[in-house]
Amino acid sequence: MAKEVKKQVERLRNEIRRHDYFYYVLNQQEITDQQYDKLFSELKSLEEANPQFITSDSPTQRVSERPLDGFKTVRYAIPMLSIDNTYSPEELKAFDERVAKGLESRDYGYVVELKIDGVASSLRYEHGLLVTGATRGDGRVGDDVTANVRTIKAIPLRLTGDAPDVLEVRGEVYMPTKSFAALNKQREKEGETLFANPRNATAGSLKLLDSRITAKRNLAFFAYATGETSQPLGKDHYETLQVFKKLGLPVNPNIKKAKNIDEVIGICNSWDKKREQLEYQIDGMVVKVNRLDHREILGFTGRAPRWCISYKFAAEQAETVVESIDVQVGKGGTLTPVANLKPVFLAGTTVKRASLHNFDQMKRLDVREGDTVVIEKAGEIIPQVVEVKKERRPAHTVSFKLPKKCPNCGGDVKKDEEGVFLRCVNPHCLGQLKERLRYFAGRGQMDIENLGEALIDQLAETGLVKNVADIYKLQKEDLIELERMADKSAQNVIDSIEASKTRPLWRLVAGLGIRHIGVQTAQDLAEHFGSLEALMNAGQADLDAIEQVGEKVAESVYEFFHNNKNASVIKELLAAGIKPELPKKARAKGKLSGKTIVVTGTLEKFSRGQIEEAIRDAGGKATSSVSKATDFVLAGEDPGSKLDKALKLGVKVINEKQFLAMLER
Ligand code: IVH
């Protein structure tokens, strides 16, 4: 019976892996989404009923339910190098001359690849299983982001076919342009800061401590090199890439061999135009000598190989006219100038606005209303003004005057300490209030789903909401009074506000909009102090003592909570029924009190020492032999005879996921 279940579990896994490969690697689809979901849920329920069969490479185990406390580091036996850049065909020819000189011959060939604009990463497979995924870091030591890498569906958790004992696959994790645009659109709606380009969004997503969020970011991967391997995969680079494909790894389909540098240049030029059609961003091409023995002869300069060069495209530019200049106010009062442009098409989208960053930058460029300007997409996405065509400036333009008052509330403005930004110092500024509310309700903070931009504007303008605590005093009747608000949608808003009351503590801390406190620091603070009260009462010295917290942050936190107005808003929040979920460490206490637990097999997230500590922390007792007095057996991968004994004695068996759920309950 058990054997049959195991077989069925394996059959389902293989089938799901095959469909993942078709969909995420080959870009093809063999079955409908519904059919796929059915296979997946069948596997899930079989595994839930038979936790002893769960393995870490099961497609159900991609997303870890437990956020990390921080990242470990990985040291590379073979460093991840960077490559030198060229910007013109002449420079490519000069590179080719150096190669010919180094090889003392012209008998060599190249492979030309797209230069994917993402984050260089290294995947380590041992005996075909993905064991580590890490970022490049400084090339010798990178961050271990395995939990996040595992969520990328294009990356196989298990290689197919004959995998070498050790294989480090290097490549680029990237975010497709459409996913990036959708992510930023969402973030804009939620009042969160936008990612500048897909590369930044990818880097940010890989560095999240909670892989459940990474799993939603739609990252992808292309393999393009090997690191440490127990045996070479092919005689040349092109062959290596074909072996990658056989192992189930995603390889970019646009890779071409070239016989000489003229062919290389032809391929590069063709992509400068074609790149707009791609579903992801590239910032150039990579040209590699194909044969591995040739590479060996050529060797390395200080930081880069002599057999490889990148060819960078010039950033795409467009000319247009500045119709007007607006000043926007941020949640902390910072004023930012923005140019409204005559709409112009640039690198795939119509651009209507461009950032001018700050007033210093604006003064340097002397951008004026009516000017013809050159815009460029920084990282090819966020447009910015890079040049003013002064010779085409119409008569009677005036240089932009620094705002003396906040354009939103008319309040006083002041230069900040660094002397770069102007800030509105009116504590009652409506513009700031709206931004603060947007931020508080945003996805990355309290995540109040139905509290959108337009509703926030109305709530602030009508005076119904004067601070974040007022959100929790809203009644359905208040909302129905507002424009475009039906009974049902009012109820939805009330429901999502209610649901946000028990968000994790770090979300509340992040949502308060304390200066210098991002999500990461909010998580550190919540974890360290364990409760809102403890954080509020922390002295400067307590804050300073936290490893991850710098002086500026400590000061900012201290000042925030010792400001009377902030303290009373927090009091109101608590009075309104906000009850943040406390960090796991503190909450787990007592969850297993009086329970005796035996662990067998290998766990995914805990070493033996760590699991025993976790059991002890939660008040339980970890023992080594199974008896009738054992409350349950926690079975990992490859469980030993203790599992048999548990089954014989009728002792309850749980898996790692269920164990974690017990701690969280
Ligand atoms: S090969 C020693 N191939 O470009 C050669 N790199 O500036 C290692 N990149 O850090 C790199 N696409 O992040 C290679 N097809 C490709 C690439 C590629 C993007 C990135 C990679 C690397 C950077 C070098």
Side-chain angles (χ1 to χ4, degrees):
M1 179 64 187
K3 241 188 187 163
E4 257 156 47
V5 172
K6 201 169 169 200
K7 251 192 178 157
Q8 169 70 349
V9 164
E10 247 141 45
R11 195 186 63 75
L12 284 167
R13 277 182 198 153
N14 282 334
E15 186 145 357
I16 292 169
R17 283 189 191 118
R18 197 165 62 87
H19 292 305
D20 280 346
Y21 177 74
F22 262 79
Y23 192 82
Y24 294 102
V25 178
L26 301 182
N27 238 334
Q28 297 168 10
Q29 193 166 1
E30 264 196 341
I31 53 171
T32 64
D33 289 353
Q34 267 164 338
Q35 287 167 320
Y36 179 89
D37 291 344
K38 204 168 150 233
L39 288 175
F40 203 89
S41 57
E42 202 178 321
L43 174 61
K44 254 193 130 158
S45 34
L46 269 182
E47 285 183 342
E48 266 160 29
N50 303 276
Q52 68 275 24
F53 295 146
I54 298 182
T55 56
S56 69
D57 63 334
S58 170
T60 60
Q61 305 297 303
R62 282 195 176 267
V63 185
S64 153
E65 299 294 323
R66 215 174 78 120
L68 299 171
D69 298 325
F71 296 110
K72 289 187 289 187
T73 53
V74 168
R75 184 169 284 278
Y76 294 116
I78 298 181
M80 290 184 77
L81 298 166
S82 58
I83 35 186
D84 290 330
N85 296 322
T86 58
Y87 298 89
S88 65
E90 292 68 42
E91 284 180 281
L92 275 180
K93 284 195 165 149
F95 162 74
D96 182 53
E97 286 307 319
R98 294 196 296 275
V99 170
K101 208 169 147 204
L103 295 177
E104 296 173 353
S105 130
R106 291 246 166 221
D107 185 18
Y108 53 85
Y110 290 111
V111 174
V112 186
E113 302 178 5
L114 305 182
K115 189 167 187 297
I116 316 293
D117 202 6
V119 174
S121 304
S122 184
L123 315 176
R124 187 178 173 93
Y125 289 89
E126 288 177 9
H127 307 286
L129 282 184
L130 176 67
V131 291
T132 318
T135 58
R136 178 172 177 271
D138 66 2
R140 293 180 180 275
V141 178
D143 278 319
D144 182 339
V145 289
T146 310
N148 291 336
V149 161
R150 287 175 61 91
T151 68
I152 303 172
K153 300 255 185 59
I155 294 180
L157 298 178
R158 166 197 284 279
L159 296 174
T160 45
D162 257 347
D165 290 352
V166 175
L167 172 61
E168 261 176 33
V169 178
R170 286 172 182 177
E172 204 82 355
V173 175
Y174 67 95
M175 187 179 284
T177 315
K178 261 198 194 144
S179 313
F180 166 75
L183 174 64
N184 256 0
K185 202 167 155 198
Q186 182 72 37
R187 290 174 75 88
E188 187 164 22
K189 220 171 86 196
E190 318 286 357
E192 289 177 63
T193 49
L194 302 189
F195 287 115
N197 51 48
R199 179 171 16 91
N200 286 354
T202 306
S205 305
L206 278 179
K207 291 300 293 284
L208 290 165
L209 291 171
D210 188 342
S211 68
R212 288 170 295 191
I213 308 176
T214 312
K216 293 189 189 135
R217 292 281 170 90
N218 217 358
L219 298 175
F221 180 77
F222 284 126
Y224 53 60
T226 53
E228 192 185 341
T229 55
S230 50
Q231 68 200 65
L233 296 199
K235 67 173 182 325
D236 60 30
H237 178 60
Y238 197 80
E239 208 176 273
T240 304
L241 296 175
Q242 308 317 310
V243 177
F244 277 172
K245 286 191 213 167
K246 284 205 187 109
L247 294 172
L249 290 158
V251 174
N252 190 281
N254 303 301
I255 294 173
K256 279 220 160 69
K257 280 191 192 173
K259 286 198 201 70
N260 53 47
I261 202 70
D262 288 330
E263 272 189 36
V264 168
I265 292 168
I267 297 171
C268 290
N269 282 338
S270 76
W271 277 107
D272 195 358
K273 291 175 215 88
K274 274 191 297 190
R275 64 173 153 149
E276 271 183 33
Q277 299 158 17
L278 291 167
E279 289 172 351
Y280 41 86
Q281 307 273 311
I282 60 172
D283 61 340
M285 306 292 290
V286 184
V287 181
K288 303 170 177 178
V289 171
N290 189 22
R291 270 170 54 177
L292 304 185
D293 55 335
H294 284 160
R295 290 183 176 191
E296 192 116 357
I297 298 171
L298 290 164
F300 304 86
T301 64
R303 49 167 219 132
R306 285 203 190 85
W307 43 263
C308 181
I309 199 97
S310 86
Y311 177 75
K312 292 266 201 138
F313 299 133
E316 286 190 69
Q317 296 188 329
E319 259 184 35
T320 184
V321 175
V322 175
E323 292 183 328
S324 61
I325 296 173
D326 276 351
V327 176
Q328 294 180 339
V329 61
K331 70 180 191 306
T334 306
L335 302 183
T336 312
V338 177
N340 295 307
L341 307 168
K342 187 162 164 248
V344 60
F345 197 73
L346 172 64
T349 57
T350 302
V351 176
K352 298 189 203 107
R353 285 157 79 76
S355 171
L356 295 162
H357 295 295
N358 56 54
F359 296 103
D360 274 7
Q361 161 88 353
M362 226 182 118
K363 214 163 123 193
R364 228 174 292 128
L365 290 168
D366 188 21
V367 186
R368 302 180 185 187
E369 291 183 351
D371 268 340
T372 298
V373 292
V374 177
I375 60 167
E376 195 176 285
K377 285 196 176 177
E380 304 187 16
I381 289 292
I382 305 268
Q384 58 183 52
V385 174
V386 291
E387 190 192 335
V388 176
K389 295 274 173 196
K390 297 233 169 95
E391 68 282 3
R392 297 190 20 212
R393 178 171 280 169
H396 314 301
T397 61
V398 284
S399 58
F400 189 79
K401 300 242 165 16
L402 282 189
K404 293 216 164 55
K405 298 282 174 196
C406 168
N408 202 288
C409 69
D412 287 341
V413 298
K414 231 176 78 182
K415 270 218 159 175
D416 73 353
E417 309 96 72
E418 286 110 39
V420 177
F421 294 102
L422 279 181
R423 210 176 284 286
C424 162
V425 291
N426 170 16
H428 305 293
C429 171
L430 204 58
Q432 281 184 55
L433 171 64
K434 288 178 185 173
E435 291 302 316
R436 272 201 301 277
L437 295 174
R438 270 184 203 133
Y439 186 75
F440 181 82
R443 262 247 172 120
Q445 291 72 242
M446 293 297 272
D447 196 13
I448 311 182
E449 212 185 326
N450 295 300
L451 198 55
E453 201 155 318
L455 178 56
I456 286 179
D457 284 351
Q458 287 195 67
L459 292 171
E461 280 159 19
T462 52
L464 272 170
V465 172
K466 295 198 182 65
N467 59 43
V468 294
D470 287 346
I471 294 174
Y472 294 92
K473 297 178 196 157
L474 287 171
Q475 304 288 324
K476 192 166 151 192
E477 296 70 47
D478 299 331
L479 296 174
I480 291 175
E481 301 278 301
L482 299 173
E483 256 174 73
R484 279 173 299 162
M485 185 59 77
D487 188 275
K488 175 96 177 22
S489 24
Q491 189 58 50
N492 289 344
V493 175
I494 295 292
D495 289 347
S496 49
I497 292 174
E498 188 62 32
S500 76
K501 285 183 175 172
T502 49
R503 293 266 187 269
L505 176 60
W506 68 262
R507 286 186 169 272
L508 176 63
V509 175
L512 292 172
I514 309 171
R515 261 188 106 188
H516 307 305
I517 309 295
V519 163
Q520 180 65 59
T521 314
Q523 287 179 348
D524 292 340
L525 291 171
E527 191 68 37
H528 184 88
F529 289 101
S531 74
L532 187 59
E533 290 70 25
L535 174 61
M536 287 173 72
N537 294 328
Q540 288 243 27
D542 301 324
L543 288 157
D544 261 339
I546 308 173
E547 204 181 319
Q548 305 94 316
V549 169
E551 204 178 314
K552 225 164 69 178
V553 171
E555 212 178 280
S556 172
V557 173
Y558 184 84
E559 270 173 21
F560 184 91
F561 288 114
H562 287 78
N563 167 308
N564 286 341
K565 225 177 93 196
N566 296 334
S568 81
V569 168
I570 289 172
K571 225 164 131 188
E572 284 179 46
L573 277 170
L574 295 171
I578 279 239
K579 202 164 179 288
E581 183 194 40
L582 301 184
K584 275 169 203 138
K585 248 200 226 148
R587 277 187 316 122
K589 283 232 168 354
K591 285 283 149 73
L592 301 176
S593 70
K595 298 268 188 275
T596 303
I597 299 158
V598 175
V599 183
T600 174
T602 315
L603 300 176
E604 197 182 322
K605 303 206 179 68
F606 301 89
S607 66
R608 207 26 85 92
Q610 284 166 338
I611 190 69
E612 284 169 5
E613 187 185 326
I615 293 171
R616 269 199 312 277
D617 278 352
K621 202 167 130 196
T623 60
S624 56
S625 66
V626 182
S627 74
K628 277 208 169 128
T630 308
D631 287 288
F632 47 85
V633 168
L634 167 55
E637 214 178 311
D638 289 326
S641 60
K642 290 174 194 168
L643 177 64
D644 299 339
K645 190 151 180 210
L647 294 172
K648 216 158 86 195
L649 292 176
V651 173
K652 191 171 170 199
V653 178
I654 59 164
N655 65 14
E656 190 170 349
K657 226 163 136 187
Q658 291 167 317
F659 174 78
L660 289 171
M662 279 173 131
L663 292 190
E664 268 170 44
R665 209 177 294 139

